[in-house]
Amino acid sequence: RAASRNKDDDGVGAAIKAKSRACQFCAPSLLHTVPTGLLVCEVHSRSNHPHHKQQQQQQSSTMLDSIIKFYQEWRQESNPWREAYTKGGGIFETQFAIYSIGFIILYIIGYACQHSHDAAVKANPDSPPDPRSVKSLIASRPTVIAGTVHSIASAVIAVGILVLHNQQKSEDSSSSDGAWVYEGTDLIKVWQTVGLPLSLSYFVADCFFYCLPKKDAIIFFHHILMCICHYPVGCDSGALLAGAGDTEWVTWLS
């Protein structure tokens, strides 16, 4: 028994010595011939060993460098927001500014109705305005005018584009190249220059006239997220990157 135990101990000791000789830290000369991930001896495999910590730091640094390089390449070569801003020719931004002015006017009208209603109530508390009147309705929620205009306009434009697109697609089922052109009108351009800037301008205006004054964080987050996600679709260059090469698909999705 003693001889057998000694023989087993000698075998284990020989294995440990062989592993130590092949360790990437004990024998660095072997690194060019064998995968380094399997060559760590008993001592150097401890998590608190300086060599082990050094290896972990090197791996973390390599991963961080890869993330930084990916971000730099994305920002310089394939950023849909940058492409939409620099290659759009300012068409989307111009339309956005025009519609924003329109929504600001609607908000001003709504709040003016509210102030007028409140003033009438204070002047004659015994005989307030009819609560079923349009003025009372607007006074109860002064943002209802802009919200209603946005809902109706964006819905009519979006549904109209999709109906005409499906109609054109069914008439020429053999090819989808002209499915987004209806009687000479580019339906994608209609959404990029009318529907999308109108919708995003409402979101931005609503942030300032409703979300921030009312401290409505959920709606504010929704509006900002919608602006960030939809903005690249405003021109072909940005839509091409945002849609992974498919401008028509990402415009349809928008």
Side-chain angles (χ1 to χ4, degrees):
R1 289 182 180 177
S4 177
R5 185 181 298 110
N6 291 335
K7 183 177 180 181
D8 293 340
D9 292 342
D10 292 342
V12 173
I16 294 177
K17 291 180 181 180
K19 189 175 183 181
S20 299
R21 286 195 300 270
C23 175
Q24 58 176 308
F25 299 116
C26 299
S29 60
L30 297 176
L31 297 184
H32 68 282
T33 59
V34 194
T36 59
L38 301 177
L39 299 178
V40 182
C41 65
E42 298 291 338
V43 176
H44 289 96
S45 63
R46 297 172 184 173
S47 59
N48 61 346
H49 195 278
H51 292 290
H52 185 75
K53 290 182 177 180
Q54 182 181 3
Q55 185 185 32
Q56 287 183 330
Q57 291 175 356
Q58 291 176 351
Q59 292 176 349
S60 300
S61 178
T62 302
M63 181 179 298
L64 181 61
D65 291 341
S66 300
I67 295 175
I68 293 175
K69 290 180 180 179
F70 173 80
Y71 169 74
Q72 291 175 344
E73 181 181 356
W74 169 82
R75 184 184 63 182
Q76 297 172 3
E77 303 295 337
S78 59
N79 187 336
W81 292 273
R82 181 181 62 84
E83 290 293 313
Y85 181 73
T86 58
K87 302 294 180 61
I91 299 176
F92 177 90
E93 288 75 14
T94 302
Q95 296 294 102
F96 176 86
I98 294 174
Y99 292 127
S100 295
I101 295 174
F103 281 115
I104 290 173
I105 294 174
L106 293 178
Y107 278 109
I108 292 175
I109 294 174
Y111 281 106
C113 290
Q114 184 186 47
H115 295 324
S116 175
H117 178 271
D118 294 343
V121 172
K122 290 181 180 179
N124 192 1
D126 295 332
S127 180
D130 185 358
R132 295 170 296 179
S133 64
V134 176
K135 188 175 183 180
S136 298
L137 174 63
I138 297 174
S140 64
R141 186 168 184 178
T143 61
V144 69
I145 301 177
T148 303
V149 170
H150 165 256
S151 299
I152 295 176
S154 59
V156 169
I157 295 171
V159 172
I161 289 175
L162 293 178
V163 168
L164 296 177
H165 165 66
N166 290 332
Q167 180 178 344
Q168 188 70 14
K169 189 176 181 180
S170 61
E171 291 177 357
D172 188 10
S173 58
S174 59
S175 176
S176 61
D177 295 338
W180 289 98
V181 178
Y182 183 81
E183 295 185 357
T185 301
D186 191 338
L187 300 177
I188 290 180
K189 292 297 182 184
V190 172
W191 180 248
Q192 291 176 338
T193 59
V194 180
L196 190 58
L198 182 143
S199 190
L200 297 193
S201 62
Y202 165 76
F203 291 143
V204 173
D206 199 56
C207 286
F208 287 100
F209 285 93
Y210 173 75
C211 297
L212 294 179
K214 298 296 184 179
K215 298 180 180 179
D216 194 330
I218 296 178
I219 301 299
F220 180 81
F221 174 76
H222 165 267
H223 289 353
I224 297 300
L225 184 64
M226 292 291 284
C227 291
I228 292 174
C229 294
H230 285 265
Y231 174 71
V233 186
C235 79
D236 291 340
S237 298
L240 190 67
L241 293 176
D246 194 341
T247 302
E248 296 180 356
W249 173 78
V250 75
T251 305
W252 172 86
L253 184 63
S254 176

